[in-house]
Structure formats: C-alpha cells, structure tokens
Amino acid sequence: MKGYVVYDSAYGNTQAVAEAISQGLKPLRAAAVSVSEFNPGTLAAGDFLIVGSPINGWRPTPKITELLTRLGNGRLKGIRAAAFDTRVRFFIHGDAARKMTKLLTDGGAHIISNPTPFYVRGTEGPLRAGELEKAAGWARNLASALDRKATP
C-alpha cells in the first residue's frame, strides 16, 4: 500500500495542508504531490488517494477536476480516498471537497472520510491559526480508517 496526497495550490495554503497530512501519513508511505506532477498510472488497488484543492469559483481547480474526471468510470476501484479544500470562512462559499468526493466516488473509490475544509484568512491566506494542527489530526483519523479497512 502506498498513498498520495495530490493537491493544487494557488498561494501555498493547500500545499501546506497537503504536506501536513502526508507527514501524518508517512508511516503508511504517503507523499504529497502536486497535481501537475502526479502520475495516475502509479495508483494500484489497495493504495489511497487524498485530494486537495482551494475553492476556485465555487468548485475545485480545473487541474484537479480534470484529474478526477480522467479517473472516472471505475478507474479508482480498490482505491481508498478522501478530499479536502481550503477556503475563506464566510457565510457563503463553494464546497470543493464535496464535489471532489463525488468525483472520487464516481470513479469507484471507497471514501474513508467526510469532505473536510481548512480555512485561510483572506483570499491569499495565510492559513488560520490551528489549521495545520487540524490537518495533522485529520491525518491521524485517516490513518485509523486505513488501518480498519485494510482492504476496500
């Protein structure tokens, strides 16, 4: 089993969250990888895929959406997955994590966690205080879910 925390990041906030998550999943051979550098051909049954994106026009970035669309039609069967987004705390906003979770499900992935938001201050950030610690805690929860579900 190996894992990928694939992200797209405009200002470095989503990358910072992805790196915190991959650190927490390092014992499970996880690596944070930019969507531009990710090779989906390396995924195999039993692996896990965590996907992160900033909210971009109420949805995930085009690069993340393109990747997940290419992985549709059952190409993620046997893969355990989860999604997160970075967003501004505001009374109304998009929900990229939920949209990515739907695309992961459409691709056949087994979802191991609810979509999770991480918050930034202002459009460009930085991350709000405590968000990297929240990411580390989420990684621990993901690791527990992966341990409980050794096979999807």
Side-chain angles (χ1 to χ4, degrees):
M1 169 177 66
K2 59 190 175 310
Y4 303 93
V5 183
V6 178
Y7 65 89
D8 197 8
S9 190
Y11 301 106
N13 301 301
T14 309
Q15 178 180 357
V17 171
E19 289 172 350
I21 293 166
S22 72
Q23 275 301 115
L25 295 171
K26 199 166 214 83
L28 299 176
R29 297 179 47 205
V33 183
S34 166
V35 67
S36 300
E37 297 173 8
F38 179 64
N39 176 2
T42 60
L43 280 172
D47 289 347
F48 63 92
L49 176 64
I50 312 303
V51 183
S53 173
I55 292 179
N56 184 292
W58 301 86
R59 62 185 60 87
T61 64
K63 287 180 183 181
I64 290 288
T65 301
E66 179 187 335
L67 169 69
L68 294 176
T69 301
R70 281 194 333 240
L71 292 172
N73 299 322
R75 290 184 182 94
L76 292 174
K77 188 169 173 58
I79 304 296
R80 289 154 301 159
F84 72 92
D85 64 34
T86 52
R87 59 176 78 168
V88 175
R89 187 178 295 272
F90 199 57
F91 71 95
I92 187 168
H93 51 71
D95 193 338
R98 188 174 311 257
K99 289 174 176 74
M100 290 183 290
T101 299
K102 178 169 181 351
L103 290 169
L104 288 163
T105 301
D106 291 349
H110 175 75
I111 303 302
I112 60 170
S113 177
N114 289 330
T116 301
F118 295 91
Y119 294 96
V120 299
R121 287 186 280 152
T123 304
E124 297 180 15
L127 288 162
R128 288 177 159 265
E131 291 303 291
L132 290 178
E133 293 79 9
K134 178 181 164 186
W138 192 54
R140 286 189 295 277
N141 291 339
L142 293 172
S144 293
L146 289 163
D147 283 344
R148 283 192 310 270
K149 298 175 178 130
T151 56

